[in-house]
Amino acid sequence: MPNGKGEFIMETKVIEVDPLNIEEEKIKEAAQAIKEDKTVVFPTETVYGLGANGLSENAVRKIFEAKGRPYDNPLILHVSNVRSFLEYTYISYALLEKIERLLPGPITFVLKKREVVPDIVTAGKDTLAIRMPAHPVALKLIEYAEVPIAAPSANISGKPSPTMSEHVLKDMLGKVDYIIIGGKVEFGVESTIIDLTQGKIPIILRPGPIPPEKLKEIFGDIIIPDFVYGKIEPDYIKSPGMKYRHYAPNTPVILVEHDDANTMVKKVLEEVKSYNNPLVLCLKEHVGYYKDHNINFDTIGSESNYYEFAVKLFEMLRKYDEKVDAMIIEGIEDKGIGIAVMNRLRKAAYQIL
Ligand code: TXA
Ligand code: MG
């Protein structure tokens, strides 16, 4: 809890688990903490989450305090079985059958909420974001806690989501009761969120690891609003303001977008000249363009594997933060998990070229 001066003075217990060989006793200890309205950081397959008993207003308030998260931003309720969807939301069996095909997995569903879920979780809305994660540690923690776990990503509000143990230790040590370290995450971007409350066709609210094609297979049709691509309105490009930056490191991110690789590289090489100590984050296939130019660069995935780009994205943003004076990043195509990557990058960007 904050000590009144906005500082945190909590003692955090760090538990290390091997997701492939989980020691049950360790998870049980953390689950007991959840039962006692304490806060527990835990790994999921997308990013690390900062959890507490989702049925306790007192516990959920601690999440908002630890993150510095505004109370009008609702949380995702994490559950460990399909039955819980019936317990916490109003959902037809026909719809449940469809979403079951995606469970457990990196996707969150917005549904009409039942009374039992406290208003603090949903920020007073009558809808609930609910997700059954695929990570064995997350599932066991929820199961042993015997309550659903409300959890946002375990970063300080506005910063890149944590994908590695170092990240959660840096952001959350001293602010939560427990941190479960379970290695690196599988996807590296937050879950896909779809809204199932607006008519018959699901609407994507946040792109993530489950791509639109997969959703079309299951739901037949899917609405992808423009904001899903994270594109800034033309006017805002002229005056990039803090207001539109999310997931943002302190070092400015310059995103370079172009369908044609040669043109994109040219723009990157031009932009590099504007800084004293820039870093270029590029696709593996483009290393040849930069290595002879005496340019500081690192690779962030390859053209043939956007999943690799996704899993390295927040790691790179954190690794080079405050080590360089600009991160100039090559964009990728808006397809598959690339949509999620570009959504996060466009939001993190100080400037888009
Ligand atoms: O992968 C994930 O989803 C991770 C892991 C920890 O599960 N969690 C995560 O939570 O990304 P968070 O709080 O960082 O992002 C949740 C997003 C927020 O943008 C929030 O506004 C939105 O979900 N959200 C929550 N409840 C909602 C609701 N009822 N309607 C619409 N959006 C909602
Ligand atoms: Mg977040």
Side-chain angles (χ1 to χ4, degrees):
M1 280 286 94
N3 63 1
K5 293 185 219 149
E7 295 161 3
F8 287 82
I9 47 168
M10 284 174 70
E11 202 177 303
T12 302
K13 180 155 183 189
V14 178
I15 301 179
E16 233 173 295
V17 293
D18 174 0
L20 299 176
N21 186 17
I22 298 173
E23 290 159 84
E24 307 279 322
E25 289 315 309
K26 290 183 175 177
I27 306 290
K28 281 184 181 156
E29 182 182 341
Q32 181 58 34
I34 293 281
K35 287 183 181 176
E36 292 166 10
D37 276 4
K38 292 181 176 161
T39 46
V40 177
V41 168
F42 62 99
T44 85
E45 77 277 35
T46 56
V47 300
Y48 275 81
L50 160 51
N53 179 352
L55 299 181
S56 159
E57 187 184 324
N58 174 45
V60 173
R61 186 170 299 111
K62 293 178 185 171
I63 297 175
F64 285 92
E65 292 297 324
K67 253 189 93 113
R69 183 182 178 105
Y71 280 94
D72 62 359
N73 194 359
L75 305 178
I76 296 173
L77 196 69
H78 294 68
V79 299
S80 62
N81 57 55
V82 178
R83 203 176 55 247
S84 297
F85 281 75
L86 295 166
E87 225 170 305
Y88 305 118
T89 72
Y90 292 100
I91 183 170
S92 68
Y93 282 104
L95 190 53
L96 190 60
E97 250 173 43
K98 285 186 181 164
I99 71 171
E100 242 188 297
R101 292 170 57 189
L102 295 162
L103 300 180
I107 179 156
T108 297
F109 306 92
V110 173
L111 291 157
K112 282 265 175 282
K113 116 187 212 309
R114 286 190 189 265
E115 276 296 298
V116 49
V117 181
D119 281 343
I120 188 167
V121 173
T122 59
K125 284 158 129 359
D126 63 356
T127 57
L128 172 70
I130 183 168
R131 143 162 155 81
M132 180 178 171
H135 197 289
V137 171
L139 285 173
K140 279 231 156 83
L141 179 68
I142 302 162
E143 214 174 283
Y144 289 143
E146 297 174 324
V147 287
I149 296 183
S153 47
N155 50 287
I156 294 166
S157 235
K159 291 288 152 200
S161 294
T163 57
M164 298 167 79
S165 48
E166 290 111 278
H167 302 163
V168 283
L169 293 173
K170 179 161 192 275
D171 280 15
M172 291 297 150
L173 215 54
K175 295 184 184 164
V176 295
D177 296 292
Y178 278 83
I179 294 178
I180 306 177
I181 295 296
K184 211 171 154 168
V185 300
E186 183 183 350
F187 291 106
V189 288
E190 306 86 345
S191 62
T192 303
I193 302 182
I194 60 171
D195 185 351
L196 297 166
T197 67
Q198 314 284 323
K200 285 214 157 63
I201 308 175
I203 305 169
I204 299 186
L205 297 181
R206 180 175 71 185
I210 302 288
E213 306 85 76
K214 178 77 194 165
L215 298 172
K216 276 181 196 153
E217 258 174 48
I218 290 169
F219 297 100
D221 208 355
I222 187 99
I223 295 170
I224 313 177
D226 283 346
F227 65 75
V228 161
Y229 295 98
K231 285 193 176 140
I232 299 167
E233 307 274 349
D235 275 359
Y236 303 144
I237 291 178
K238 286 187 206 142
S239 57
M242 285 299 291
K243 199 173 162 197
Y244 303 101
R245 293 173 70 203
H246 303 265
Y247 309 101
N250 294 324
T251 295
V253 168
I254 318 294
L255 175 62
V256 180
E257 294 192 39
H258 207 284
D259 297 342
D260 172 59
N262 280 312
T263 314
M264 182 165 72
V265 170
K266 260 190 212 143
K267 284 211 242 177
V268 172
L269 291 173
E270 194 49 41
E271 186 61 14
V272 162
K273 295 178 193 159
S274 312
Y275 297 92
N276 292 322
N277 179 26
L279 171 85
V280 172
L281 288 170
C282 69
L283 293 166
K284 281 186 185 149
E285 289 81 358
H286 295 174
V287 164
Y289 292 111
Y290 303 111
K291 72 172 193 290
D292 300 329
H293 281 84
N294 195 21
I295 286 171
N296 186 18
F297 70 89
D298 201 343
T299 56
I300 190 170
S302 77
E303 257 159 28
S304 60
N305 186 356
Y306 283 2
Y307 281 91
E308 194 187 338
F309 199 121
V311 85
K312 281 179 90 174
L313 175 63
F314 292 141
E315 181 183 337
M316 288 294 165
L317 293 184
R318 281 176 178 259
K319 180 175 172 187
Y320 291 105
D321 194 16
E322 293 177 353
K323 306 276 190 311
V324 295
D325 65 358
M327 288 186 241
I328 302 166
I329 309 184
E330 293 188 343
I332 55 176
E333 272 181 87
D334 284 292
K335 73 171 192 219
I337 199 169
I339 301 175
V341 167
M342 291 307 286
N343 165 289
R344 308 304 188 275
L345 270 177
R346 291 184 183 120
K347 288 180 175 206
Y350 171 75
Q351 214 183 353
I352 300 174
L353 301 175

